[in-house]
Amino acid sequence: MDTPIEDLAFEDALKELELIVGKLESGDTPLQQAIELYERGNKLRQRCADRLDAAQARIGAIRLDGEGKPVGVRPFAAG
């Protein structure tokens, strides 16, 4: 949990988020730690959502021909 969120791959961020959810759902976490976990979990959730949005944009950039077959891609500019 010490890795900066922006350095995590999607899969690693999702695994950590699942661990955090499990800890919070257990109800055994002291309040201050629960708040810290929630804050990190929210940042992880946003990281995952951003990565999914970027992947969706890249997929949407695939051009299709008249028969619906991929014929190429447009350059994707991450924003």
Side-chain angles (χ1 to χ4, degrees), residues 17-55:
L17 181 57
E18 289 172 348
L19 289 172
I20 288 173
V21 169
K23 287 179 183 179
L24 292 174
E25 286 180 340
S26 75
D28 296 331
T29 308
L31 180 59
Q32 184 59 40
Q33 185 181 7
I35 291 169
E36 292 166 5
L37 287 170
Y38 178 84
E39 289 171 347
R40 181 156 174 99
N42 194 43
K43 291 175 184 174
L44 288 164
R45 180 203 56 78
Q46 186 60 51
R47 170 75 172 165
C48 290
D50 291 346
R51 296 296 300 260
L52 286 174
D53 289 346

Side-chain angles (χ1 to χ4, degrees), residues 62-72:
I62 296 173
R63 292 184 296 180
L64 304 177
D65 66 12
E67 297 176 7
K69 296 179 183 174
V71 293

